[in-house]
Every structure is written in structure tokens, then in C-alpha cells.
Amino acid sequence: MPDIEQITLGQLAVALAFVLALVSAVRSLRKTIKEGLESVFDKRFKEIEKTQNDILQKIKDVDMENCKNYLVTFLAEVERGEPKDEIEIERFHEQYDHYIANNGNSYVKEKVNYLKEKKALR
């Protein structure tokens, strides 16, 4: 190892260039890794978001189908003259309101209007 007095400006310049190149390489490597990870995570998050949206839509579809099944059964029972107590009627109206709020099919609305006109449903 040379004494400090024997180090030339050329050697100092080479050492400084090496350090700068090393810092630049580390920064470039860091940037490349960061961009790669962001790309992977972004793609994965989009896949997760799509899956989540698909699941939420399926849950909504199942909810609406169950609601429709309940309403159709209830309305058929009312049309057959089966008595309903206040709680059953209140639950019907809760489900019917939910169904209407979520753009339910018109045939359920038509049946409700028909039964209200016949005074079979209040």
C-alpha cells in the first residue's frame, strides 16, 4: 500500500471514478428492482381486484336470486289466501324494497301491484 504522499492525482481520480461508478450502479440496480417489483405487484393487485369484483358481483347475483325466490314464494302464498302476520308482511316489504332498490325484474312488481289491487296484500 503506497504512502499517502505517494498517491498521485491520477490514482485519486481513478478511485473517485470507481466510487461514482459504484454509486451509479447501485442506484440503477435499485431503480430496476423497484420498477420490476412495482410491475409484478401492480399486475397482481389488478388480478386480485378483478377477482374481488367478480366475487362481489356473484354475491350480489345470489342475493338478488334469493330475494326473488323469497318474494315469488311469498306472493304465491298470498295469492292462495294463506294468512300472513305483521312480521311476515314487514319482512316482505323489507325484501321487496331491497329488490326494487337493486333493479329487480318487473314481473315481481306487477304481481305486487296486482295483489294490492285485489286487496290481498297491504
Side-chain angles (χ1 to χ4, degrees):
M1 186 103 160
D3 279 341
I4 192 107
E5 294 141 3
Q6 294 177 349
I7 296 176
T8 66
L9 282 177
Q11 292 171 325
L12 190 56
V14 167
L16 184 59
F18 173 76
V19 169
L20 290 175
L22 185 61
V23 167
S24 177
V26 168
R27 281 185 180 167
S28 177
L29 183 60
R30 181 175 168 234
K31 181 181 176 187
T32 301
I33 290 171
K34 181 181 174 186
E35 288 172 353
L37 288 175
E38 284 174 349
S39 174
V40 167
F41 286 129
D42 188 47
K43 181 180 177 187
R44 187 64 184 135
F45 285 140
K46 285 181 181 176
E47 290 172 4
I48 291 170
E49 184 178 18
K50 182 186 179 316
T51 301
Q52 180 183 13
N53 289 338
D54 290 347
I55 290 169
L56 291 173
Q57 184 60 49
K58 287 177 184 175
I59 289 171
K60 184 177 178 181
D61 292 346
V62 168
D63 173 56
M64 286 300 289
E65 289 301 314
N66 284 333
C67 186
K68 189 180 348 176
N69 287 340
Y70 170 79
L71 292 171
V72 167
T73 300
F74 183 92
L75 293 171
E77 290 170 355
V78 167
E79 192 168 32
R80 286 192 298 267
E82 295 180 25
K84 300 293 181 185
D85 66 22
E86 288 300 315
I87 293 174
E88 289 174 309
I89 292 170
E90 186 175 329
R91 182 65 180 141
F92 162 78
H93 285 292
E94 290 172 355
Q95 285 293 289
Y96 183 67
D97 291 345
H98 173 72
Y99 186 75
I100 296 303
N102 287 283
N103 302 315
N105 294 331
S106 61
Y107 69 86
V108 172
K109 295 176 198 175
E110 290 170 9
K111 181 61 89 170
V112 168
N113 290 334
Y114 170 76
L115 291 173
K116 283 183 178 181
E117 287 174 9
K118 285 181 59 176
K119 307 285 188 224
L121 183 64
R122 41 191 159 118

